[in-house]
Amino acid sequence: MLTRQQEALPLQPVVLTRDQHGISRRQISENALKVLYRLNKAGFEAYLVGGGVRDLLLGRQPKDFDVSTNATPEQIKQLFSNCRLVGRRFRLAHVLFGRDVIEVATFRGHHHQVNTNKNVSSQSSEGMLLRDNVYGTIEEDAERRDFTVNALYYNIADFSVVGFANGIKDLEARRLELIGDPETRYREDPVRMIRAVRFSAKLGLTISPRTEAPIQELAPLLSDIPPARLFEETLKLFLAGHGLETYRQLQQYGLFAPLFPEAAEVMGKGNNRYGRFIELALTNTDERIAQDMRVTPAFLYAALLWGPVETRTQAFMNEGGLNHYDAFMLATDDVLGRQVKAVAIPRRFSSVVRDIWQLQDRLTKRNGKRPHRLLEHPKFRAGYDFLLLRAELDPRLKELAEWWTEFQVSNPVDRQTQHRQPQARGAQQGQANTASDAEPRKPRKRPRRRPRRKKDA
């Protein structure tokens, strides 16, 4: 008898009729319905597919609605004037409704049947798919999907749900099962490993033993993925409201180190303080997302890489004899330069990361008018929030964090008194000044020029 790992994908689908599932068209976006109806009216098969169907069956409201069809990208473009074709690895059609984008994909086929054409299908020496413009049937498309819970199709023709590869049963059992041989599928696209972790953390699904078995061994394959793509994937990992659980699973399966080698190296040396700091930052991010508060990737990356920056700063001071400021600036450049080789960080975020880090030193200086100037810094709030997180693990920073908290809520008169407190010596010197310092000087009047006397003619 064949085991689950050995058996072929059952091509006979399981069909839930309209009265056997709870999906309603009222839950589907109006723009997605427009695309589905027009494709169907033109004689093509049209399905809502993947995560949108999965989330609706779980009682969740999807963020995106993707469509799958037997129409080619060129045929889709002919149907929709508001359509553009994108993608090289697999050609997709984006139907644009203002800012709302409905992604339409043609049914994928088996790449190994036509891989002699390099313009259609191509693989690397590691087995990773480089180009995959091969079209097929809905059965082949289902087999090409990554997880069984994503091999679900909502048919606009009769409002039924079509499930392949036991996807409906796996969803009911809260089980995450990879379609096909796990090692082969991970080699085709290593990002599937971190997608497994993301779906597990987000949906509360248990990764099956056969699906998780090869992950630790194949985790280094993530280094072959373009850093720009991994940036987008890390945003999905940590900014979906389940960042803490995602982080713990990434560590469990050995997937964190390929994404953040600098941070992993510091924590690998036994410094658990930075690991706790990352968990604290992710907990804070999850809470903000749950309260519909704004979050920024820059704050997250600042937390993930703070350990390497502090460690590298100390190393430059000890080994190179640099002062703290020069060592710190050199460390920030070094850490960010190394990190972007694994996961790209766009400049619009990396510049904010630098601001947050540099504010940590500037917040320690409370003399004179510096506190007032810092309050006007555009990234002050992010730097202050970062200081609060650090203070939760470092008792030496608690007084500083409390001082800045009080300084922000105090009235202008109290601020004037408060910002003088850390500099008692300066205050005493100020008392020795004369009264003329307290009163503004009156400008001297310039003497009026006497008119010249006219010479006698």
Side-chain angles (χ1 to χ4, degrees):
M1 183 175 179
L2 294 177
T3 64
R4 176 82 186 252
Q5 184 172 0
Q6 295 170 325
E7 65 183 1
L9 176 74
L11 296 181
Q12 291 298 325
V14 173
V15 179
L16 300 180
T17 60
R18 176 64 190 89
D19 59 344
Q20 292 177 315
H21 64 79
I23 297 179
S24 168
R25 279 170 289 172
R26 290 191 296 270
Q27 300 171 290
I28 303 173
S29 80
E30 182 180 348
N31 294 328
L33 288 174
K34 288 179 182 178
V35 173
L36 290 167
Y37 282 134
R38 186 175 297 185
L39 285 168
N40 180 256
K41 187 176 180 180
F44 297 107
E45 297 178 52
Y47 297 86
L48 190 69
V49 66
V53 183
R54 177 200 68 213
D55 289 351
L56 288 173
L57 289 175
L58 288 174
R60 295 168 171 262
Q61 185 60 33
K63 290 185 177 180
D64 303 302
F65 293 94
D66 296 334
V67 173
S68 191
T69 179
N70 60 345
T72 66
E74 291 72 21
Q75 290 172 325
I76 299 168
K77 187 171 178 61
Q78 289 179 355
L79 282 176
F80 298 92
S81 59
N82 54 333
C83 173
R84 67 180 180 186
L85 302 184
V86 300
R88 291 183 56 189
R89 184 172 176 269
F90 186 76
R91 201 74 166 151
L92 298 169
H94 282 180
V95 184
L96 311 177
F97 298 89
R99 293 186 177 182
D100 188 17
V101 179
I102 304 300
E103 186 175 279
V104 186
T106 305
F107 293 146
R108 291 175 293 179
H110 295 302
H111 62 87
H112 61 271
Q113 296 174 354
V114 289
N115 62 7
T116 54
N117 186 345
K118 292 184 178 180
N119 293 322
V120 175
S121 180
S122 176
Q123 285 182 284
S124 71
S125 58
E126 296 291 336
M128 184 171 67
L129 286 176
L130 305 177
R131 192 169 289 108
D132 194 17
N133 291 316
V134 184
Y135 307 130
T137 65
I138 186 174
E139 291 81 9
E140 292 172 325
D141 185 78
E143 193 170 356
R144 292 295 315 283
R145 294 196 171 271
D146 47 12
F147 302 99
T148 62
V149 295
N150 289 337
L152 305 172
Y153 299 75
Y154 175 81
N155 191 350
I156 196 62
D158 59 6
F159 316 123
S160 63
V161 171
V162 185
F164 294 88
N166 298 318
I168 294 175
K169 288 184 177 180
D170 286 339
L171 193 63
E172 292 173 349
R174 296 282 178 159
R175 179 173 54 241
L176 192 65
E177 193 79 62
L178 196 67
I179 297 174
D181 175 62
E183 182 171 346
T184 302
R185 302 308 305 278
Y186 289 145
R187 288 187 180 278
E188 284 179 351
D189 186 1
V191 170
R192 285 174 179 147
M193 292 183 285
I194 58 178
R195 281 170 60 85
V197 167
R198 176 161 66 90
F199 291 143
S200 174
K202 174 185 175 182
L203 304 173
L205 305 179
T206 301
I207 302 177
S208 73
R210 64 179 288 275
T211 300
E212 69 178 4
I215 292 180
Q216 287 193 338
E217 180 184 350
L218 301 179
L221 292 178
L222 286 171
S223 60
D224 297 331
I225 303 299
R229 184 184 177 197
L230 287 181
F231 170 75
E232 297 297 333
E233 292 296 331
T234 54
L235 295 187
K236 297 175 185 176
L237 286 171
F238 296 124
L239 298 181
H242 309 276
L244 179 60
E245 177 60 25
T246 301
Y247 166 74
R248 288 173 175 171
Q249 289 199 36
L250 289 174
Q251 289 282 28
Q252 175 186 346
Y253 292 112
L255 296 169
F256 183 78
L259 298 174
F260 300 95
E262 299 294 299
E265 181 182 353
V266 171
M267 290 186 288
K269 295 178 180 179
N271 196 327
N272 294 328
R273 179 165 63 94
Y274 293 120
R276 294 196 301 272
F277 180 69
I278 290 174
E279 291 193 353
L280 194 62
L282 290 170
T283 300
N284 178 266
T285 300
D286 290 344
E287 291 173 351
R288 291 179 66 88
I289 293 173
Q291 298 170 16
D292 292 326
M293 299 175 67
R294 183 175 175 271
V295 294
T296 171
F299 190 89
L300 177 64
Y301 279 101
L304 288 167
L305 300 175
W306 179 244
V309 167
E310 277 202 320
T311 305
R312 202 67 52 84
T313 298
Q314 194 61 46
F316 286 143
M317 292 175 64
N318 295 338
E319 299 170 7
L322 299 175
N323 61 49
H324 182 270
Y325 177 80
D326 291 339
F328 180 78
M329 297 304 293
L330 188 60
T332 59
D333 291 340
D334 189 43
V335 170
L336 286 174
R338 291 169 181 259
Q339 177 59 42
V340 296
K341 295 178 181 179
V343 177
I345 306 177
R347 184 168 295 180
R348 67 183 184 276
F349 295 126
S350 64
S351 62
V352 180
V353 171
R354 292 176 185 272
D355 286 339
I356 293 172
W357 287 342
Q358 292 171 11
L359 279 168
Q360 301 312 296
D361 181 61
R362 295 181 64 183
L363 287 169
T364 64
K365 299 175 174 61
R366 296 172 277 174
N367 298 334
K369 296 182 179 179
R370 287 178 176 176
H372 295 280
R373 288 197 295 265
L374 278 181
L375 283 178
E376 298 173 0
H377 193 288
K379 303 305 176 187
F380 168 79
R381 185 68 195 187
Y384 165 73
D385 288 342
F386 198 82
L387 174 65
L388 293 183
L389 285 181
R390 293 175 59 210
E392 289 196 38
L393 294 178
D394 190 346
R396 296 172 297 179
L397 296 174
K398 286 188 175 181
E399 184 275 332
L400 179 64
E402 291 172 356
W403 188 92
W404 276 105
T405 300
E406 295 174 3
F407 184 73
Q408 291 177 78
V409 299
S410 60
N411 59 51
V413 176
D414 292 337
R415 284 183 186 173
Q416 190 69 18
T417 304
Q418 192 173 359
H419 86 263
R420 289 176 180 171
Q421 290 176 356
Q423 50 166 5
R425 183 177 300 176
Q428 292 173 0
Q429 292 175 351
Q431 293 174 1
N433 294 335
T434 60
S436 62
D437 294 329
E439 298 179 1
R441 294 183 179 182
K442 296 180 180 180
R444 288 192 310 173
K445 293 184 178 180
R446 297 181 61 182
R448 295 180 62 184
R449 295 181 61 183
R450 296 177 61 182
R452 292 181 180 182
R453 295 179 60 184
K454 293 183 179 180
K455 294 183 181 181
D456 296 335

